[in-house]
Amino acid sequence: MANEAQGLIVCFSTTSANTTATSKAIEEVNSVNGPSGSANVIDVTHLRSDAKEKLIGLRDEGQLSIDLNYIATAANQIRLRESRANRTESNVALMFNDVGRTMAAMKGYVSGFAITGAVDSKMTGTVTIEITGAVTWTTWTS
């Protein structure tokens, strides 16, 4: 059975993503996309190969994209913008609302913070986090 997205908490911290005690929830998140990892394929085929031979390279955990309702005075949205401006390595945790309370913790850099608005619409923001290192899958406690 699929997990419901409603109730997902996206936490951000410049100290630790492995504990919810120091991480703060990002305000008014609408959706997330990622981590979007992949790995390079290394061709090791040689002249005596019967077919292509390959190795898999190091995994790249990719990016995490966060769509939110933009609030100029929201404390953690301000921290995200400051982290991008200061090029600060930060920590992010996706805290799922499944029965096992799964958490994906990762380090990354805020590489983008785009704000969008239009006539008869709300202000939105899209935050892009470039993940560095491995994503750690654990559980969380409240």
Side-chain angles (χ1 to χ4, degrees):
M1 177 177 270
N3 289 326
E4 185 177 4
Q6 194 68 28
L8 173 75
I9 302 168
V10 183
C11 287
F12 176 80
S13 171
T14 54
T15 56
S16 175
N18 294 323
T19 174
T20 57
T22 58
S23 296
K24 305 293 183 200
I26 298 172
E27 300 89 353
E28 299 199 24
V29 172
N30 294 319
S31 66
V32 297
N33 185 351
S36 58
S38 64
N40 286 331
V41 176
I42 304 165
D43 187 340
V44 294
T45 308
H46 52 85
L47 293 174
R48 296 193 60 191
S49 298
D50 293 331
K52 286 280 192 175
E53 297 181 43
K54 301 171 186 176
L55 294 174
I56 196 75
L58 289 174
R59 72 179 190 253
D60 179 346
E61 299 287 13
Q63 295 180 330
L64 176 69
S65 179
I66 304 165
D67 293 319
L68 46 80
N69 294 331
Y70 177 70
I71 305 168
T73 57
N76 293 306
Q77 291 186 23
I78 291 169
R79 286 186 184 94
L80 285 163
R81 291 194 320 262
E82 290 171 346
S83 289
R84 186 194 60 77
N86 297 327
R87 301 175 4 180
T88 306
E89 183 181 79
S90 302
N91 299 286
V92 178
L94 300 177
M95 298 162 45
F96 298 89
N97 68 345
D98 60 328
V99 174
R101 300 181 79 126
T102 304
M103 179 173 75
M106 63 209 79
K107 291 185 177 295
Y109 295 91
V110 179
S111 61
F113 196 119
I115 301 168
T116 305
V119 173
D120 201 25
S121 184
K122 64 183 178 179
M123 295 296 296
T124 61
T126 300
V127 180
T128 304
I129 297 173
E130 187 69 34
I131 301 168
T132 181
V135 174
T136 305
W137 293 86
T138 59
T139 57
W140 63 281
T141 57
S142 50

